[in-house]
Amino acid sequence: MTIEEITNGLKQLLSDNNYAPATFCFYEREWEKIHSFLLSEYGDSEFEMERGLAYLEKQYNLQTRYNNGTLSQQRVQLLRVVHMLEDYRLHQVLTRRYYASKNPIRLDGLFSETHEKYVCSLSVSELSKSTIGHYDSISKVFLDYLAQKGIGCIESISFDICNGYLRTLAGYSFKTVEQNVCALRHFLRFLKDAGMIMDDIADEIHMPSISKKAKIPSAWTTQELRALLSSIDRNSPIGKRDYAMILLACVLGLRISDIKSLRFSNFDWEHKQLSFVQHKTHNPLSLPIPDAVGWAVIDYVKNGRPQFFDTDVVFIKHMPPFDPLSDNNHLEQRITYHMNKAGIRRDKNRHSGFHSLRHSVGSMLLEMETPLPVITTILGHSDTDITGIYLKTDLDKLAECVLRMEMPCHE
């Protein structure tokens, strides 16, 4: 398919989806550059993904900058330009998995009613808020896909149509594909139970044969953890908060969702015990509180936390109205901020969020020859197969970083 054919179709879809004039102009400008590149480099205007990536590399050195971690967020948008062209070439749709709040997906008629009913069913389910959010947005994108394909009724959904949607995920990470498959299955089961479709399509959809263990979790070395912790300004209120939260992640292995949800009642200071129900698994977990972690939390509560008593959540925002941290805020920007201060390099193969600190705990415990079932309990995993991912990491022992953690002066 030529780029002229692709862009003519996309222009109509952009217009139908109420894209802003400035955004429209941005895409048209880049499409014209790609058109000229194709004619000069290949002698024709046929478009495919490989040619689009070649354009980005020649014009912006995008792949080189992506690999060495120097690609700016503004340049990432250029990848969206090429992905948009490729998605239309293959599927004749405008895929919008990540849509702007200023231009949200708007469903009409039956699709809108169906989505509202589905969201209502999610609200009374036992799924976590994070999972509900994913299922909500993915079901909306799927219904938008149906609308763009000209499929006018729910009854027309078939296995082939669902497979077509999943094929638009080609090239995305295992995690993204897995989320979409799980969400689509859940949505299809809702449609089946509601009598909107007759066939049990959900059971026919399976994950592609990608090993979940193929991607080894990013973990930190002892030196990096030391540098990260040393970079934090523990004289500032936010620094005290970040320090305590990071210790909870890299020493006790808590998920960021659980750290954000901790309440004062979860801490038993007399017995140095932390007990809570995990946000992801809904299973209870009790862990001993090491001195370094305990003093960091106490220092934050006494000397850093805003004097705000409308909530008993321990870690809160430091700007009015001092609410608890939102479910969607994973605080990756705080880790990135301290990494930059510490001079720790970030690259595309490395995660830099709180979950990467949790990975370090699993690796550390393995290095200390802790039995796998014990690690599974500490990390709150559902089974040892999940914990087994950490067996693939090869790190220096991190125990020293935990055992010799510097404690703050008690004021």
Side-chain angles (χ1 to χ4, degrees):
M1 186 179 289
T2 66
I3 194 167
E4 296 97 328
E5 294 171 318
I6 296 172
T7 54
N8 285 337
L10 282 174
K11 286 176 185 177
Q12 184 61 51
L13 289 175
L14 288 173
S15 176
D16 292 343
N17 285 278
N18 303 306
Y19 273 67
T23 304
F24 210 110
C25 290
F26 165 75
Y27 283 123
E28 284 192 306
R29 186 169 60 250
E30 289 301 320
W31 293 339
E32 189 59 39
K33 291 180 183 178
I34 295 173
H35 189 190
S36 299
F37 171 80
L38 293 175
L39 292 176
S40 64
E41 291 289 323
Y42 303 102
D44 59 54
S45 62
E46 290 292 321
F47 179 84
E48 58 184 25
M49 190 68 174
E50 185 176 348
R51 290 184 172 191
L53 293 176
Y55 159 75
L56 293 178
E57 178 62 18
K58 182 174 182 179
Q59 183 77 11
Y60 301 104
N61 292 325
L62 189 137
Q63 186 171 346
T64 301
R65 292 181 179 180
Y66 179 69
N67 289 337
N68 64 25
T70 62
L71 184 66
S72 68
Q73 188 60 40
Q74 289 81 358
R75 291 305 190 197
V76 171
Q77 180 69 6
L78 295 168
L79 281 172
R80 170 66 176 149
V81 173
V82 172
H83 274 294
M84 184 183 288
L85 293 170
E86 179 70 357
D87 280 346
Y88 190 88
R89 182 181 76 87
L90 294 175
H91 313 292
Q92 290 75 60
V93 295
L94 171 64
T95 52
R96 299 209 297 162
R97 286 176 208 58
Y98 308 104
Y99 46 90
S101 59
K102 293 182 179 179
N103 185 31
I105 290 176
R106 291 181 175 87
L107 301 174
D108 297 321
L110 179 61
F111 286 169
S112 177
E113 294 174 13
T114 301
H115 182 257
E116 288 177 6
K117 291 178 181 177
Y118 179 58
V119 171
C120 184
S121 73
L122 288 174
S123 67
V124 296
S125 70
E126 295 185 355
L127 298 171
S128 69
K129 289 183 180 179
S130 175
T131 300
I132 289 174
H134 286 308
Y135 285 8
D136 176 355
S137 62
I138 290 171
S139 64
K140 183 179 290 186
V141 172
F142 175 65
L143 288 170
D144 183 59
Y145 170 84
L146 298 181
Q148 291 189 46
K149 294 289 286 184
I151 298 165
C153 59
I154 298 295
E155 294 87 344
S156 298
I157 296 176
S158 65
F159 174 76
D160 288 340
I161 289 171
C162 295
N163 245 3
Y165 168 74
L166 293 175
R167 279 197 295 271
T168 68
L169 300 167
Y172 282 79
S173 68
F174 177 92
K175 186 65 176 177
T176 298
V177 177
E178 181 184 46
Q179 279 184 347
N180 275 265
V181 169
C182 291
L184 185 56
R185 283 176 179 165
H186 193 273
F187 182 52
L188 292 170
R189 291 192 179 103
F190 163 78
L191 296 177
K192 177 71 166 57
D193 292 342
M196 298 184 196
I197 58 175
M198 300 305 296
D199 297 330
D200 197 356
I201 306 173
D203 288 343
E204 300 179 46
I205 297 175
H206 301 286
M207 277 296 298
S209 55
I210 306 172
S211 172
K212 188 172 183 179
K213 298 182 182 181
K215 190 174 182 65
I216 300 173
S218 303
W220 299 63
T221 65
T222 305
Q223 293 76 16
E224 288 171 337
L225 280 176
R226 284 185 179 280
L228 181 76
L229 292 166
S230 297
S231 73
I232 301 173
D233 178 9
R234 293 165 60 191
N235 291 316
S236 74
I238 292 181
K240 292 178 186 293
R241 184 194 69 184
D242 290 354
Y243 185 76
M245 295 180 77
I246 289 172
L247 282 190
L248 285 164
C250 71
V251 176
L252 291 183
L254 269 60
R255 298 181 180 90
I256 184 58
S257 57
D258 291 327
I259 296 174
K260 291 188 298 182
S261 301
L262 287 176
R263 299 178 181 274
F264 293 114
S265 58
N266 295 131
F267 292 86
D268 180 352
W269 295 111
E270 182 178 354
H271 300 96
K272 293 186 177 182
Q273 195 82 7
L274 176 61
S275 302
F276 59 95
V277 176
Q278 297 171 89
H279 183 269
K280 181 176 182 179
T281 65
H282 305 294
N283 294 326
L285 182 65
S286 293
L287 298 169
I289 303 175
D291 287 345
V293 176
W295 282 119
V297 174
I298 291 171
D299 185 37
Y300 168 66
V301 172
K302 289 185 62 178
N303 306 310
R305 186 181 186 274
Q307 297 300 305
F308 182 72
F309 305 105
D310 286 355
T311 177
D312 64 344
V313 172
V314 176
F315 300 105
I316 60 177
K317 297 177 182 177
H318 279 233
M319 292 286 288
F322 305 115
D323 293 329
L325 297 159
S326 68
D327 291 330
N328 294 326
N329 185 359
H330 303 305
L331 296 176
E332 181 174 352
Q333 75 279 8
R334 298 306 302 164
I335 302 293
T336 302
Y337 171 76
H338 297 301
M339 287 179 71
N340 290 336
K341 282 185 63 179
I344 299 173
R345 180 174 172 175
R346 299 172 61 227
D347 57 55
K348 72 180 184 69
N349 294 317
R350 175 175 191 158
H351 296 297
S352 55
F354 268 83
H355 210 70
S356 64
L357 298 171
R358 176 176 161 83
H359 291 159
S360 297
V361 177
S363 303
M364 175 194 70
L365 293 170
L366 282 168
E367 291 288 338
M368 296 169 65
E369 300 182 356
T370 307
L372 192 57
V374 175
I375 302 176
T376 298
T377 300
I378 292 173
L379 292 178
H381 285 158
S382 56
D383 59 63
T384 54
D385 285 343
I386 298 174
T387 313
I389 296 174
Y390 300 111
L391 287 168
K392 292 196 173 187
T393 57
D394 182 18
L395 303 168
D396 294 334
K397 291 185 178 180
L398 301 180
E400 181 183 357
C401 184
V402 175
L403 295 176
R404 298 185 185 179
M405 193 74 68
E406 180 184 350
M407 290 188 290
C409 296
H410 182 49
E411 298 178 13

